[in-house]
């Protein structure tokens, strides 16, 4: 498109497998509603009166760390498709290369409020993030890169739904010049239609109902691990440390609960 602002632009003229996309969006709709209704602390992210600078810093740091960790996974995805689907190899390679540098957008925002690169990149990832990345490598070895690809779609979709409202609340306390990088990140995703682009890249290799079930299987687990991350970071803010047993318990509970929701939508 003529107004593209990234190198990983969407070259697809139409959405692939739109019926399945509608089902997937319905599942994410329900998960999002439940997150705000039942997850302790979730509503606080929309309430400017509940703003916590420590939570904001740690949340943004974790975003940077997750992008950096995924930067090592995306070339493996492209390499997997090199001899199987060269077009997909090129498309994912461009997408992964661009996404991997988005750490800079978020880091610049933190630096503007007084943090250093040493503080940002010297932070250890949360246990939930370690589990998520371990899941990518495990599934890559046992079945291929679908889980890591589904994560790309999930994150693009969730970010477009949640971050604008979170930033609106944050900017009541922090000057907009210090959220410029995150706003720019959202603009790249919106203008170049990253959620649709990643969806279409994945749909190139989703051919059967069994493939669709596998897509959902991975999306359920990824969502469970991200919600477990929220439990972990909230606990860190309240207690100064996180209980790893609590993280595993939250992930297991969310996985079981949301598997039923996915089955209801596609059953």
């Amino acid at each position: 498109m003529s107004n593209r602002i990234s190198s990983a632009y969407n070259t697809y003229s139409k959405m692939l497998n739109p019926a399945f996309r509608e089902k997937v969006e319905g599942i994410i709709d329900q998960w999002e509603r439940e997150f705000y209704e039942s997850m302790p602390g979730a509503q606080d992210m929309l309430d400017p009166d509940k703003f916590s600078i420590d939570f904001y810093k740690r949340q943004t740091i974790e975003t940077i760390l997750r992008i950096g960790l995924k930067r090592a996974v995306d070339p493996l995805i492209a390499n997997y498709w090199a001899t199987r689907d060269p077009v997909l190899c090129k498309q994912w390679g461009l997408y992964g290369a661009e996404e991997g540098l988005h750490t800079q957008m978020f880091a610049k925002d933190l630096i503007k409020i007084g943090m250093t690169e040493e503080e940002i990149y010297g932070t250890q990832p949360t246990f939930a993030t370690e589990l998520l990345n371990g899941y990518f490598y495990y599934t890559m070895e046992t079945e291929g890169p679908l889980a890591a690809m589904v994560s790309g779609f999930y994150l693009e979709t969730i970010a477009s739904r949640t971050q604008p409202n979170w930033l609106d609340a944050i900017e009541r306390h922090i000057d907009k010049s210090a959220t410029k990088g995150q706003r720019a990140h959202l603009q790249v995703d919106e203008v170049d239609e990253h959620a649709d682009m990643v969806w279409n890249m994945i749909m190139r290799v989703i051919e059967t109902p069994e493939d669709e079930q596998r897509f959902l299987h991975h999306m359920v687990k990824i969502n469970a691990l991200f919600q477990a991350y929220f439990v972990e970071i909230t606990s860190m803010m309240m207690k100064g440390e996180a209980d790893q047993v609590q993280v595993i318990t939250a992930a297991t509970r969310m996985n079981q609960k949301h598997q039923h929701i996915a089955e209801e939508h596609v059953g």
Side-chain angles (χ1 to χ4, degrees):
M1 60 181 65
S2 60
N3 64 338
R4 67 184 177 88
I5 57 176
S6 80
S7 58
Y9 59 97
N10 189 352
T11 60
Y12 291 89
S13 60
K14 63 180 181 180
M15 184 183 297
L16 304 180
N17 204 347
F20 183 48
R21 175 70 177 273
E22 184 175 356
K23 292 178 181 179
V24 169
E25 292 284 353
I27 293 168
I28 295 175
D29 283 344
Q30 188 166 346
W31 288 349
E32 185 181 7
R33 286 196 302 273
E34 288 196 357
F35 174 74
Y36 284 119
E37 290 172 359
S38 61
M39 180 66 73
Q43 282 286 347
D44 292 353
M45 299 184 74
L46 303 175
D47 186 350
D49 293 334
K50 301 290 181 63
F51 175 75
S52 164
I53 188 65
D54 291 334
F55 183 92
Y56 168 71
K57 288 178 179 178
R58 190 62 187 83
Q59 166 84 353
T60 307
I61 288 173
E62 197 69 17
T63 299
I64 293 167
L65 299 178
R66 284 199 302 261
I67 293 172
L69 289 167
K70 189 65 163 27
R71 186 167 56 225
V73 174
D74 283 324
L76 302 178
I77 298 174
N79 183 66
Y80 179 90
W81 293 115
T83 57
R84 295 171 173 87
D85 187 335
V87 172
L88 181 53
C89 170
K90 176 183 177 180
Q91 292 173 342
W92 200 277
L94 289 171
Y95 170 70
E98 178 175 294
E99 286 293 314
L101 292 179
H102 287 179
T103 52
Q104 299 171 349
M105 296 179 175
F106 291 87
K108 286 178 180 178
D109 286 349
L110 290 180
I111 290 169
K112 283 190 175 181
I113 59 172
M115 295 198 72
T116 66
E117 289 190 355
E118 289 74 16
E119 288 178 287
I120 296 167
Y121 293 105
T123 302
Q124 283 293 112
T126 61
F127 183 44
T129 292
E130 293 175 341
L131 292 175
L132 177 66
N133 279 270
Y135 186 63
F136 294 156
Y137 287 105
Y138 167 74
T139 52
M140 187 81 68
E141 289 295 325
T142 57
E143 65 173 87
L146 182 60
M149 296 172 73
V150 171
S151 175
F153 168 75
Y154 174 87
L155 284 173
E156 295 286 1
T157 302
I158 292 297
S160 67
R161 289 165 172 252
T162 59
Q163 286 189 350
N165 292 331
W166 293 352
L167 288 173
D168 286 345
I170 290 166
E171 287 168 354
R172 294 275 296 275
H173 299 270
I174 293 177
D175 190 85
K176 290 183 179 181
S177 65
T179 59
K180 187 176 179 180
Q182 292 165 84
R183 290 290 187 185
H185 178 258
L186 288 173
Q187 185 182 15
V188 169
D189 290 350
E190 180 181 354
V191 172
D192 285 344
E193 301 170 336
H194 276 190
D196 291 345
M197 178 179 67
V198 176
W199 172 266
N200 280 343
M201 285 193 282
I202 298 171
M203 288 305 110
R204 291 177 68 91
V205 296
I206 299 296
E207 300 174 345
T208 67
E210 290 74 23
D211 292 338
E212 292 181 355
Q213 287 297 326
R214 201 64 193 160
F215 177 104
L216 293 174
H217 171 84
H218 291 311
M219 193 172 75
V220 167
K221 290 187 180 298
I222 289 162
N223 177 70
L225 286 168
F226 269 97
Q227 295 214 20
Y229 154 72
F230 190 83
V231 170
E232 182 173 4
I233 195 172
T234 301
S235 175
M236 290 168 61
M237 293 299 103
M238 294 177 60
K239 303 175 183 177
E241 61 181 3
D243 182 346
Q244 293 187 349
V245 173
Q246 183 183 21
V247 175
I248 294 173
T249 301
T252 302
R253 178 168 50 84
M254 293 296 175
N255 181 66
Q256 293 173 339
K257 179 180 181 181
H258 291 159
Q259 183 63 45
H260 293 311
I261 293 174
E263 290 170 355
E264 290 172 1
H265 278 266
V266 298

